[in-house]
């Protein structure tokens, strides 16, 4: 039995928080285990002068961490699940997804307490095509601009007047103890989240049974079913950072069913397609595929082709 393991993580404050969270959970289960963080810069962290949708998708945030797993510099990697591609290399597996935190987005602004109170022409920053599409669908009078960088960098850009408001994940602000910066939390009906939003994922080498057994107790079963449905929708639509799509699943305990809602929209928000369905947890992937097919039946493929050609 190994006495130490190494966790690959991005260097951003939020990524370090997530890695430390996993380390604490491992220590609770294995008090004598030595756990080292291996902090790394990824291409997604370094290339801040272009939109994520122009840089090649979600692999920008995990490729370097996966390389560390392959060459033995790290034993596990910790990610925000929403940053992970829906299809992983056969070398890797999701060893665990932790219990989901707040999945909602948040408005951060020094001017107003809600989106509806922002003046026409107000500049709202987001790096997400999903958020852009839903924002412009509901508030076509706003101007949405790209914003990159970690949470604190984006807050600085807001405070220096480059933007009138920005949209961030609520959970990131909460984990960094920046609750006071949240002007309002956007409900699921206002802003459907990204697949896997609010979930910490633990990735490991598929061929390492000891590490897989070590991280398995961190897995939350209900969250696992829900994100399996969400990621199945994304996979069915070939979703990534270049696609304005959203998916969110939650368990209705009284019926023991997962309810899944998903959305595909045009970048300018003029076309929004929505679908939902429900099924038992064991059919989570089938549920996701079914909802994906519903969106395709509504014309999502046309929207996605237009986005790809934009």
């Amino acid at each position: 039995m190994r006495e130490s393991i190494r966790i690959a993580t991005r260097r951003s404050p939020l990524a370090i928080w997530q890695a430390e969270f996993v380390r604490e959970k491992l220590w609770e289960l294995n008090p004598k285990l030595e756990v080292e963080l291996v902090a790394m810069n990824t291409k997604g962290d370094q290339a801040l002068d272009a939109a994520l949708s122009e840089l090649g998708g979600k692999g920008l945030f995990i490729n370097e961490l996966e390389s560390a797993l392959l060459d033995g510099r790290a034993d596990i990697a910790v990610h925000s699940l929403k940053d992970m591609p829906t299809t992983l290399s056969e070398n890797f597996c999701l060893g665990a997804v932790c219990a989901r935190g707040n999945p909602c987005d948040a408005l951060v602004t020094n001017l107003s307490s809600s989106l509806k109170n922002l003046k026409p022409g107000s500049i709202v920053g987001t790096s997400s095509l999903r958020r852009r599409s839903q924002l412009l669908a509901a508030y076509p009078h706003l101007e949405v601009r790209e914003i990159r960088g970690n949470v604190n960098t984006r807050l600085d850009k807001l405070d220096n007047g480059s933007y009138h408001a920005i949209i961030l994940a609520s959970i990131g602000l909460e984990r960094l103890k920046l609750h006071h910066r949240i002007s309002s939390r956007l409900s699921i009906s206002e802003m459907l989240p990204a697949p896997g939003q609010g979930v910490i994922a633990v990735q490991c080498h598929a061929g390492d049974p000891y590490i897989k057994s070590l991280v398995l107790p961190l897995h939350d079963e209900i969250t696992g079913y829900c994100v399996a449905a969400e990621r199945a929708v994304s996979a069915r639509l070939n979703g990534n950072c270049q696609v304005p799509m959203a998916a969110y699943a939650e368990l209705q305990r009284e019926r023991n069913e997962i309810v899944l809602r998903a959305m595909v929209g045009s970048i300018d928000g003029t076309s929004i397609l929505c679908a939902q369905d429900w099924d038992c947890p064991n059919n989570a992937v089938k549920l996701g595929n079914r909802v994906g097919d519903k969106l395709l039946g509504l014309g999502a493929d046309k929207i996605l082709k237009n986005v790809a050609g934009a």
Side-chain angles (χ1 to χ4, degrees):
M1 182 177 293
R2 303 179 207 177
E3 297 180 351
S4 64
I5 66 166
R6 293 153 298 170
I7 301 177
T9 175
R10 294 163 60 191
R11 289 187 181 276
S12 74
L14 182 55
I16 294 295
W17 187 98
Q18 292 175 160
E20 289 177 341
F21 173 85
V22 170
R23 177 166 62 181
E24 291 293 333
K25 292 297 182 182
L26 289 172
W27 276 339
E28 288 176 12
L29 297 165
N30 310 274
K32 295 183 180 180
L33 185 69
E34 293 183 11
V35 186
E36 176 190 353
L37 301 190
V38 181
M40 309 176 68
N41 285 320
T42 69
K43 290 181 180 178
D45 298 309
Q46 296 168 9
L48 299 178
D49 56 351
L52 287 176
S53 57
E54 299 172 356
L55 293 173
K58 298 185 178 185
L60 290 168
F61 292 115
I62 74 166
N63 289 343
E64 284 81 0
L65 277 62
E66 287 186 337
S67 294
L69 293 179
L70 279 178
D71 64 25
R73 285 175 290 152
D75 302 293
I76 63 175
V78 173
H79 310 280
S80 292
L81 183 58
K82 70 180 181 64
D83 292 334
M84 298 189 72
T86 54
T87 301
L88 300 179
S89 160
E90 62 182 10
N91 294 311
F92 307 113
C93 66
L94 278 180
V97 293
C98 302
R100 181 174 236 152
N102 188 339
C104 296
D105 287 313
L107 170 70
V108 182
T109 176
N110 299 317
L111 302 175
S112 173
S113 60
S114 67
L115 281 167
K116 66 181 181 181
N117 291 332
L118 290 176
K119 295 179 180 180
S122 294
I123 300 169
V124 182
T126 176
S127 63
S128 162
L129 295 183
R130 167 189 65 85
R131 290 172 180 150
R132 174 186 290 270
S133 177
Q134 294 182 85
L135 272 172
L136 291 175
Y139 306 99
H141 58 280
L142 299 178
E143 180 179 345
V144 180
R145 291 186 187 174
E146 179 77 16
I147 186 171
R148 295 288 313 282
N150 62 40
V151 171
N152 287 313
T153 298
R154 297 187 196 198
L155 290 174
D156 288 343
K157 291 179 179 180
L158 171 70
D159 292 338
N160 70 23
S162 299
Y163 302 84
H164 296 109
I166 58 176
I167 306 295
L168 297 169
S170 293
I171 193 65
L173 293 163
E174 293 167 4
R175 287 170 174 164
L176 294 175
K177 301 188 184 303
L178 292 169
H179 311 68
H180 60 285
R181 295 305 308 263
I182 297 176
S183 302
S184 62
R185 289 175 174 82
L186 306 179
S187 68
I188 297 297
S189 60
E190 288 179 281
M191 181 77 69
L192 200 63
Q197 185 157 315
V199 178
I200 296 172
V202 182
Q203 183 184 24
C204 57
H205 204 287
D208 193 330
Y210 170 71
I211 292 296
K212 290 166 71 174
S213 67
L214 187 70
V215 302
L216 183 60
L218 278 60
H219 184 73
D220 183 79
E221 186 176 45
I222 293 174
T223 300
Y225 285 128
C226 289
V227 299
E230 296 165 14
R231 286 168 64 81
V233 176
S234 183
R236 185 70 184 90
L237 300 174
N238 194 28
N240 52 44
C241 290
Q242 303 176 64
V243 174
M245 69 146 299
Y248 177 67
E250 55 186 334
L251 179 69
Q252 299 292 333
R253 295 180 183 273
E254 63 276 8
R255 297 182 303 178
N256 192 36
E257 289 181 335
I258 292 175
V259 177
L260 173 63
R261 286 175 276 181
M263 180 280 302
V264 170
S266 60
I267 295 176
D268 63 5
T270 56
S271 181
I272 297 288
L273 304 177
C274 299
Q276 73 173 44
D277 206 339
W278 52 89
D279 210 327
C280 64
N282 287 332
N283 289 336
V285 173
K286 291 181 180 179
L287 171 62
N289 288 331
R290 201 160 64 237
V291 170
D293 286 337
K294 285 186 176 184
L295 288 169
L296 290 171
L298 292 171
D301 55 334
K302 296 183 180 65
I303 291 178
L304 299 177
K305 287 178 183 176
N306 288 336
V307 171

